Amino acid sequence: LPDNVNMISICGDAGTEMDLANQIFSENGCTFEAIIPDDKLTSSLLSTISGYPTTVFVDKDGNLVGDAQIGAPSTGDDIDQAYLQLITERLKQVD
């Protein structure tokens, strides 16, 4: 990730699939934070999600930056580059 960029995952189904979520994180060497949503997060942000994955970008103050990315931005081997492109575009909106 670029400097001063953090990623946090919200695992929407971790409440019912905790073992599977842990297995996926472990097998993929994930080092970023993952949140298991509580009732407040579920009724606020997650209630507005129309598909998974959905990626939202927020600035250091928690303000939304740009539109949400619904679904993966690409398929195949270049998905990491597609996400980096999204991050780069959102960083330009914050400057």
Side-chain angles (χ1 to χ4, degrees):
L1 293 173
D3 290 339
N4 297 319
V5 171
N6 294 309
M7 182 169 75
I8 300 171
S9 170
I10 301 172
C11 191
D13 60 356
T16 58
E17 296 291 340
M18 180 64 77
D19 290 339
L20 178 58
N22 285 329
Q23 178 184 347
I24 291 169
F25 267 69
S26 176
E27 288 176 359
N28 290 286
C30 298
T31 58
F32 51 87
E33 293 292 322
I35 296 173
I36 299 169
D38 60 7
D39 290 340
K40 185 176 180 180
L41 185 59
T42 298
S43 66
S44 60
L45 177 64
L46 296 184
S47 69
T48 67
I49 302 290
S50 62
Y52 286 93
T54 294
T55 305
V56 294
F57 299 88
V58 296
D59 66 14
K60 66 180 181 174
D61 297 318
N63 300 306
L64 290 174
V65 178
D67 295 328
Q69 169 67 40
I70 300 171
S74 177
T75 58
D77 294 336
D78 65 343
I79 193 166
D80 56 340
Q81 293 302 314
Y83 274 112
L84 283 174
Q85 177 68 31
L86 283 173
I87 292 167
T88 300
E89 291 169 5
R90 294 318 189 278
L91 285 172
K92 290 177 184 175
Q93 294 177 26
V94 174
D95 292 339

